[in-house]
Amino acid sequence: TPHELCRRSDVVFTQTPGSDVVLETRWLRPHATVIASGSDQPTKQELPVDLVASATYVADLVKQTSRVGELRPALAAGVMTEADVHAELGDVVTGAKPGRVGDEMIVVDLTGTGAQD
């Protein structure tokens, strides 16, 4: 089941075009990395907003994830602001901001950019 798979996984990759969440935060290991890269559009939501808000959140581009990524529903629910974003992916890749610093849960939201794809 999806629940059992999440409980055994350090990395979970989601890729759906849907507007229904595909997992629950409680299914995940405390140090899991969740990579969301579904078909992004203004109605898409793969992850529950409590997961996005409680994890170290990394966006490919905040200006995109706030409109068509997993950040959009978290902003709409009022559980996050753009200031809560830990980093953009480029900042982590270049070392301007740290990636994993301990055993924290991480969400990486990939909406697709030409340079990063």
Side-chain angles (χ1 to χ4, degrees), residues 3-77:
H3 172 255
E4 294 167 332
L5 185 61
C6 287
R7 289 303 304 158
R8 293 193 315 258
S9 301
D10 293 324
V11 177
V12 176
F13 186 86
T14 62
Q15 190 162 23
T16 73
S19 58
D20 296 322
V21 298
V22 297
L23 55 81
E24 296 181 29
T25 305
R26 63 185 174 85
W27 296 356
L28 297 166
R29 300 178 85 176
H31 61 276
T33 297
V34 179
I35 302 168
S37 71
S39 177
D40 294 297
Q41 52 194 325
T43 58
K44 186 264 241 179
Q45 181 181 357
E46 296 180 298
L47 306 179
V49 295
D50 69 305
L51 169 60
V52 176
S54 63
T56 298
Y57 176 86
V58 177
D60 54 3
L61 292 173
V62 173
K63 68 181 181 180
Q64 283 185 185
T65 61
S66 65
R67 291 181 294 128
V68 297
E70 299 300 320
L71 183 56
R72 180 194 52 77
L75 293 172

Side-chain angles (χ1 to χ4, degrees), residues 89-110:
L89 185 59
D91 295 328
V92 175
V93 170
T94 62
K97 295 230 176 147
R100 180 174 300 283
V101 295
D103 287 336
E104 71 275 20
M105 190 172 298
I106 296 174
V107 167
V108 181
D109 192 1
L110 304 176

